[in-house]
Amino acid sequence: MPPLAVPRKPAQPSAPAAPDPQALNAGAPPQDGAAAERAAHTADLAHRTEEAVAAQLEHGAAALNQAASLSPLAPLSVPVFRMLWLTWVAANTCMWMNDVAAAWLMTTLTTSPILVALVQSASTLPVFLLGLPSGALADILDRRRYFIATQFWVAAVAVVLAVAIAAGGMTAPLLLALTFANGIGLAMRWPVFAAIVPELVSRPQLPAALALNGVAMNASRIMGPLLAGAIIASAGSAWVFVLNAALSLVAAFTIMRWKRVHTPSPLGRERLASAMRVGVQFVRQSPRMRAVLWRISIFFLHATALLALLPLLAKGLEGGGAGTFTLLLASMGAGAITAAMFLPRLRQAMARDVLVIRGTALQAAATGVMAVAPNVYVAVPAMFVGGMAWITTANSLSVSAQLALPNWVRARGMSIYQMAIMGSTALGAAVWGQVATWSNVHVSLGIAAVTGVLAMLLVQRLVADRSMEEDLSPSRAFKVPVADAPPGTGPVVVTIEYFIDPARATEFRAVMQESRRSRLRQGALDWQLLHDISRPARYVERIEDESWTEHLRRFDRVTASDVALRERKLAFHVGDAPPVVTRWAVE
């Protein structure tokens, strides 16, 4: 493997020396002692006054910013966020309308329970199967155009559904296929919207923006089924899909008003397979993301028992029926919307882990009450509290996920987060449904409530998120290498040679494990730390990249946290010369 180049790390420029007051005044006319003293006193007084005014203005601005960030509606003051949020409300309303209309339409086409149940599977399965590819596409393509394309896709499917119904050609298999196609649009849409939200609002407003997204989901959960039911009763199922198509087109044209400038990478687009690999690799090497995924999976695995068994609970209540089921769903949505208004204050009062465990406990309590509720007078408040706990926990974990992801991999990371939710929801529904089959609905809910709290406590203990929040803002501190003759498509190996005081070897190895996680999160194929047997002070860090282009991409992914890590590694290096960096082409 011949070396490509042997660039050396340039010496860090020393900090500029403080200006010499005598030198600054060298060209000033001479002054007597009293005059100089008066001038110095006046300058000092002016300087202190200026500092006091600046501090007061800074304090006032900070207070205003804090008050603004604590407002649950603050993100809606951002015009672009407000526009896209209203679009998101419309898109989610269409989703719920489609689910209700498709489920009802299937009951008119067949009496088979399995085909009726498969409507829900056809709607949600694409989100699980296509989550990672859609997240990768949202990271490597223009997010604005990609978002528009998903809306046109959903509109086209709705038009085909309406035409098939009007022409009398709808069948159960065709309905399942078109429901699956609509689910593809949903799967492609969610990661891109999750990725663009941090672009639209400031960091202090991000939790409130995510809470508003939860409000949009829960408000549409109420509006969608009610609107679909009214249209089906008055005009027929076909008109639900006509309205879906119209709203989706309006949403697409609204997104076109967003003047987002896409800056393509000079290295070209990532290959889809490579982008997916890097996304999974980033999540695996991020302790914060792993902790979030464990928590969200445990929460939905147990919390989904209430929603999965809610139709049976509603039917078993005194005077229960379809109307009772709708009322309970609406109560849960109303609780979620109400809690979203108080989330900024809750986040200020409690740490995220505390919010998660208390939200889990409150949701478990609501599930336990529903297990023994005799009538709607008990069930409705329980569902209201359950909705409050649901959005509190989910929002806290969603904020943690967003803050653990840099922008270049955000859509991929959030798609994996969504896959964890969908997978644990599907598994939870099956598990608690089977437990209810073996025993009864009330026992199943009771077990889910108790085990949910215990499992979350266990995960909080075993998968503790003890790492500090990293500064993931992009940095250009690392100089991009230039090769006279760039290699072809083969792998590239980079070696960095350190000389370490043997007495500090243990500390150095610990820091190098952080370097391993950093390199792999950036997309490296492999990482090794080599120790010279004959020269105990010599260590070689070896990083392998997929290609020269992928090696250069890692420089675009450097964050402020990576720069701080480099300085920590260099602090261990002894010797006059900096560590030697060599790049090799694998032939």
Side-chain angles (χ1 to χ4, degrees):
M1 295 189 299
L4 278 174
V6 190
R8 293 179 178 266
K9 177 180 175 295
Q12 297 295 322
S14 58
D20 185 355
Q22 294 181 352
L24 290 176
N25 293 327
Q31 296 179 338
D32 58 57
E37 186 177 351
R38 286 195 301 271
H41 177 72
T42 302
D44 181 62
L45 181 62
H47 179 67
R48 283 186 293 171
T49 303
E50 183 180 355
E51 282 187 340
V53 172
Q56 187 174 5
L57 290 174
E58 184 178 353
H59 177 73
L64 288 174
N65 289 336
Q66 184 179 17
S69 64
L70 287 177
S71 171
L73 302 179
L76 294 178
S77 64
V78 181
V80 177
F81 177 82
R82 182 171 62 248
M83 176 183 71
L84 294 181
W85 183 79
L86 291 173
T87 301
W88 190 241
V89 172
N92 281 291
T93 301
C94 290
M95 177 188 72
W96 287 106
M97 288 171 60
N98 187 90
D99 287 352
V100 170
W104 180 258
L105 181 60
M106 183 62 81
T107 63
T108 66
L109 298 173
T110 180
T111 58
S112 170
I114 185 61
L115 287 175
V116 174
L118 282 176
V119 172
Q120 185 66 23
S121 299
S123 177
T124 58
L125 189 60
V127 180
F128 182 76
L129 295 178
L130 303 176
L132 185 56
S134 65
L137 288 173
D139 275 331
I140 63 181
L141 300 177
D142 183 342
R143 288 174 179 171
R144 173 180 169 273
R145 292 184 178 181
Y146 186 66
F147 198 7
I148 294 170
T150 63
Q151 292 304 114
F152 280 122
W153 175 278
V154 172
V157 174
V159 169
V160 174
L161 278 163
V163 170
I165 296 170
M170 182 60 69
T171 63
L174 178 60
L175 178 59
L176 288 177
L178 290 174
T179 302
F180 186 87
N182 185 73
I184 292 175
L186 304 181
M188 307 301 272
R189 182 180 67 193
W190 194 91
V192 67
F193 186 77
I196 65 177
V197 170
E199 296 182 24
L200 307 178
V201 298
S202 62
R203 185 183 178 95
Q205 291 181 343
L206 180 59
L210 297 178
L212 285 171
N213 291 346
V215 169
M217 177 63 73
N218 285 279
S220 63
R221 179 182 293 172
I222 298 172
M223 294 186 297
L226 292 177
L227 189 57
I231 295 175
I232 292 171
S234 60
S237 299
W239 288 101
V240 175
F241 300 113
V242 171
L243 181 59
N244 271 357
L247 289 176
S248 298
L249 289 174
V250 169
F253 287 115
T254 301
I255 300 169
M256 287 182 181
R257 296 176 55 197
W258 178 25
K259 303 303 181 183
R260 180 182 188 269
V261 178
H262 174 65
T263 305
S265 170
L267 300 173
R269 293 176 180 171
E270 290 182 73
R271 294 183 300 106
L272 181 59
S274 178
M276 292 167 60
R277 173 188 66 81
V278 172
V280 173
Q281 200 163 287
F282 183 96
V283 171
R284 287 185 60 189
Q285 299 300 327
S286 170
R288 296 188 66 83
M289 276 302 295
R290 290 203 309 270
V292 169
L293 292 179
W294 270 105
R295 286 158 172 73
I296 200 67
S297 298
I298 289 296
F299 178 74
F300 273 91
L301 178 66
H302 294 83
T304 195
L306 182 56
L307 279 182
L309 300 175
L310 191 59
L312 297 175
L313 282 174
K315 189 175 181 180
L317 293 176
E318 183 180 337
T324 305
F325 176 60
T326 303
L327 175 62
L328 295 178
L329 276 179
S331 300
M332 187 175 187
I337 293 172
T338 302
M341 299 298 104
F342 295 97
L343 278 176
R345 298 294 176 184
L346 290 174
R347 283 190 293 267
Q348 189 183 32
M350 289 177 277
R352 285 195 200 111
D353 276 357
V354 176
L355 273 177
V356 168
I357 194 62
R358 291 185 179 179
T360 302
L362 191 59
Q363 197 281 331
T367 301
V369 171
M370 286 298 298
V372 297
N375 51 52
V376 292
Y377 300 106
V378 176
V380 165
M383 291 299 293
F384 186 88
V385 171
M388 295 177 68
W390 192 291
I391 196 172
T392 299
T393 307
N395 176 260
S396 300
L397 292 171
S398 180
V399 170
S400 295
Q402 289 278 12
L403 296 180
L405 294 166
N407 188 58
W408 65 268
V409 76
R410 192 179 305 279
R412 278 167 280 188
M414 293 308 293
S415 69
I416 294 173
Y417 175 82
Q418 179 70 3
M419 289 172 66
I421 292 177
M422 299 302 296
S424 56
T425 298
L427 178 60
V431 168
W432 303 117
Q434 188 60 51
V435 173
T437 302
W438 289 336
S439 53
N440 58 60
V441 172
H442 309 290
V443 171
S444 181
L445 288 177
I447 296 175
V450 174
T451 57
V453 176
L454 294 177
M456 185 63 76
L457 287 171
L458 185 63
V459 167
Q460 294 268 40
R461 183 178 181 84
L462 298 181
V463 196
D465 183 9
R466 298 188 180 93
S467 59
M468 298 293 291
E469 284 192 8
E470 299 175 283
D471 184 355
L472 299 179
S473 55
S475 173
R476 296 292 180 183
F478 290 5
K479 185 177 179 181
V480 179
V482 178
D484 295 334
T489 58
V492 170
V493 172
V494 182
T495 57
I496 307 173
E497 186 179 71
Y498 300 90
F499 287 91
I500 308 299
D501 181 356
R504 304 185 65 193
T506 302
E507 298 174 63
F508 176 71
R509 291 192 189 99
V511 172
M512 291 307 288
Q513 287 305 308
E514 295 183 43
S515 181
R516 172 184 177 275
R517 287 192 292 269
S518 173
R519 308 287 193 187
L520 293 177
R521 283 192 302 180
Q522 292 168 355
L525 278 179
D526 188 32
W527 182 96
Q528 293 175 327
L529 181 63
L530 309 179
H531 187 196
D532 192 333
I533 298 175
S534 59
R535 301 169 66 188
R538 182 171 178 258
Y539 288 82
V540 176
E541 183 180 15
R542 180 185 182 278
I543 310 109
E544 181 177 351
D545 289 301
E546 188 176 348
S547 65
W548 178 252
T549 299
E550 294 306 312
H551 172 64
L552 296 181
R553 287 194 200 281
R554 286 204 290 111
F555 289 83
D556 290 337
R557 298 165 181 170
V558 172
T559 66
S561 179
D562 295 321
V563 176
L565 177 61
R566 179 187 67 173
E567 298 306 316
R568 290 169 59 198
K569 290 187 291 185
L570 292 180
F572 286 93
H573 181 70
V574 296
D576 298 330
V580 175
V581 180
T582 309
R583 293 176 174 86
W584 307 78
V586 179
E587 297 183 350

